[in-house]
Amino acid sequence: MPPSTDEHQLRNQRISTRIFIILLILSLTVLILYTSLVNVTKTIDINAPIIIQYSQLYSTYPQTLTCACTQISIDYDKFLKINYTLHQICTSIFVADYWINYFYATRGTATLNSDDFRQSGSFIFQALNTSCQLSNQTISNRLTQFYSSQYVSTSVTPLQVFQLQTQEFVSQFISSITNDFLLSISTIRQTTRANNLLAGQLTNYGLYRQSSNYVSSFSVSYGNCSCASSATCAYEFPFYDSKNSKVIFIVPGIYVGCYIIEALLQSNLQCFYNKTCINKIQSYFPQYLSMNLTTLDVSLLGRFNMSSTIQELIDNLMVEKWNSSTTYDGYYNECQPSKCSYSYQTRNSVIYIITTLIGIVGGLITVLKLITPRVVRLIAFCIRRCTVKHNAVSPGIQP
């Protein structure tokens, strides 16, 4: 088909070509700017990462890293250990059978007052030994339950969060076991007080026979305090002169009272940190019963001090120090993440931009080829119509 010689058609073709080129350049420029400047999210998967890989990834992508656990419930004992150190009195000679038998040997050599330290002091140390054993057994039993508890996580917990959580687990464990232990002791004490029970060592009430068929009781007093009115009556243990029952020495910090447990709770161990005090006590025992006693070590004191009462020790389960250790590797190995995924924001590469343009430019050219000539012809047609109408109206206008 020969080229058109129509002036209007040729002009439209020239205009269409120019507009086509301009639109193509503008479109390509916009596409290049958009594909090169826009941020895109890329997601990367890593199969079965070891803990070193996980740590490196978390330090770089802490907000987007997720690692699904294969094992979602893990026993505490796989990653958490709790150790404790009882007060040194619990491992000292003063709660050992050797020391307690020391008192029994003394009783057979002389007639002593019932509240003389040599006569009744062993009861205090037996009660102290029982307190140590009870605390140790309670903690041991509860730790067995604690270790069987399970930590549940569907994905790997970050190290910092994991450490905070395990610290809270330990704090809750210590608080719970302490409260339960003290509640048990308080219940026993309150029951004993409310029922005014007779102490096995007759420290709160004495008995005497009025007749062959009748036994009466009388309350024991400690100072101006009568056991009939208060179960907590107590005073520091005395040593009596066997000849005239005169007090010759008072053991500082160790009490005797209506009930062994009440006297024990009011007592402290200050005398047993002092070698002079211990020697003084031993001087009132028969010389042939002498034994080598080592003082408690002041340097081992932590949360307590020399004048801390046994009540304070029991309020803390007789524990001088708690230690807990967390093994993050143990947790991670039990979790066994099968895959970790992380994402990050980046811009398209040059290859992606070129590939995208190649894929789009063909369609863009086709669309512009179809649309541009028709738009130009439409605009030209509208202009001619307006021109013809204007010329048709103009001759009728009078100057």
Side-chain angles (χ1 to χ4, degrees):
M1 188 174 195
S4 175
T5 58
D6 184 277
E7 181 182 349
H8 294 291
Q9 188 172 358
L10 291 174
R11 185 175 61 186
N12 287 346
Q13 289 176 354
R14 287 195 298 272
I15 294 173
S16 296
T17 300
R18 292 169 183 166
I19 292 175
F20 170 80
I21 294 173
I22 293 171
L23 290 176
L24 180 61
I25 293 173
L26 289 174
S27 299
L28 291 175
T29 301
V30 171
L31 285 173
I32 291 173
L33 290 173
Y34 175 79
T35 54
S36 61
L37 296 178
V38 69
N39 287 328
V40 295
T41 301
K42 288 191 175 182
T43 301
I44 308 296
D45 294 333
I46 297 179
N47 294 323
I50 62 176
I51 189 170
I52 296 177
Q53 289 177 294
Y54 171 80
S55 299
Q56 293 172 342
L57 289 174
Y58 184 78
S59 63
T60 307
Y61 309 102
Q63 301 298 325
T64 60
L65 180 65
T66 58
C67 303
C69 289
T70 304
Q71 180 73 25
I72 65 173
S73 58
I74 305 168
D75 289 345
Y76 283 1
D77 64 348
K78 301 297 183 181
F79 57 83
L80 180 60
K81 295 297 180 185
I82 298 178
N83 297 311
Y84 59 96
T85 303
L86 293 177
H87 190 281
Q88 59 184 304
I89 189 64
C90 294
T91 54
S92 72
I93 194 173
F94 299 110
V95 294
D97 290 340
Y98 188 41
W99 169 248
I100 293 171
N101 291 334
Y102 192 44
F103 288 86
Y104 288 113
T106 301
R107 293 178 200 170
T109 63
T111 302
L112 301 170
N113 289 19
S114 61
D115 60 341
D116 190 290
F117 184 75
R118 292 163 292 188
Q119 176 68 24
S120 303
S122 62
F123 300 138
I124 288 292
F125 295 100
Q126 285 177 321
L128 187 57
N129 183 37
T130 300
S131 298
C132 290
Q133 293 181 6
L134 184 59
S135 296
N136 190 45
Q137 189 63 47
T138 299
I139 296 172
S140 179
N141 291 341
R142 289 292 292 271
L143 275 177
T144 301
Q145 299 175 13
F146 177 76
Y147 287 144
S148 65
S149 300
Q150 293 188 324
Y151 179 81
V152 178
S153 61
T154 57
S155 59
V156 177
T157 304
L159 175 59
Q160 294 81 357
V161 176
F162 182 77
Q163 289 177 332
L164 290 174
Q165 289 178 338
T166 52
Q167 288 174 6
E168 183 61 26
F169 296 157
V170 173
S171 296
Q172 290 179 352
F173 167 77
I174 295 174
S175 176
S176 175
I177 189 175
T178 301
N179 291 337
D180 291 347
F181 182 74
L182 294 180
L183 179 60
S184 299
I185 292 179
S186 177
T187 300
I188 295 172
R189 292 174 64 194
Q190 293 296 336
T191 301
T192 302
R193 290 180 183 181
N195 291 280
N196 209 11
L197 299 180
L198 179 66
Q201 295 77 25
L202 302 180
T203 51
N204 60 339
Y205 286 93
L207 301 176
Y208 65 95
R209 184 185 297 274
Q210 283 190 337
S211 64
S212 59
N213 297 321
Y214 185 73
V215 176
S216 295
S217 65
F218 61 93
S219 64
V220 178
S221 295
Y222 293 87
N224 296 323
C225 182
S226 171
C227 294
S229 58
S230 175
T232 59
C233 295
Y235 52 55
E236 289 177 309
F237 254 120
F239 279 89
Y240 291 99
D241 188 323
S242 59
K243 296 179 181 179
N244 55 22
S245 296
K246 181 181 178 181
V247 175
I248 53 177
F249 180 68
I250 292 177
V251 182
I254 303 297
Y255 284 78
V256 60
C258 301
Y259 291 102
I260 298 300
I261 183 63
E262 299 296 339
L264 175 66
L265 295 177
Q266 297 176 59
S267 300
N268 63 63
L269 302 170
Q270 58 179 313
C271 177
F272 300 97
Y273 289 95
N274 189 318
K275 185 63 176 176
T276 302
C277 186
I278 292 176
N279 290 339
K280 188 70 172 178
I281 289 175
Q282 283 193 285
S283 69
Y284 294 108
F285 284 81
Q287 294 302 310
Y288 67 88
L289 293 175
S290 63
M291 59 186 297
N292 186 25
L293 296 177
T294 304
T295 61
L296 300 179
D297 191 346
V298 177
S299 65
L300 297 179
L301 289 172
R303 67 166 63 181
F304 306 115
N305 54 58
M306 290 189 295
S307 59
S308 295
T309 64
I310 305 302
Q311 175 76 69
E312 293 177 69
L313 271 61
I314 289 180
D315 286 346
N316 291 279
L317 289 174
M318 308 291 291
V319 176
E320 187 77 59
K321 186 178 182 181
W322 290 97
N323 291 302
S324 63
S325 59
T326 303
T327 307
Y328 189 68
D329 288 12
Y331 160 72
Y332 187 88
N333 293 335
E334 289 294 322
C335 170
Q336 295 180 344
S338 58
K339 181 178 71 173
C340 283
S341 301
Y342 66 93
S343 59
Y344 62 93
Q345 296 288 327
T346 187
R347 291 181 179 175
N348 292 313
S349 64
V350 175
I351 295 176
Y352 177 84
I353 295 172
I354 294 173
T355 304
T356 301
L357 290 177
I358 292 173
I360 293 177
V361 71
L364 180 63
I365 290 173
T366 301
V367 171
L368 290 177
K369 279 183 177 180
L370 292 174
I371 294 177
T372 304
R374 288 172 172 76
V375 172
V376 170
R377 287 197 297 270
L378 178 61
I379 293 174
F381 176 74
C382 292
I383 292 174
R384 288 198 300 273
R385 287 289 302 271
C386 290
T387 302
V388 171
K389 185 180 292 186
H390 177 73
N391 292 336
V393 174
S394 295
I397 301 175
Q398 297 297 325

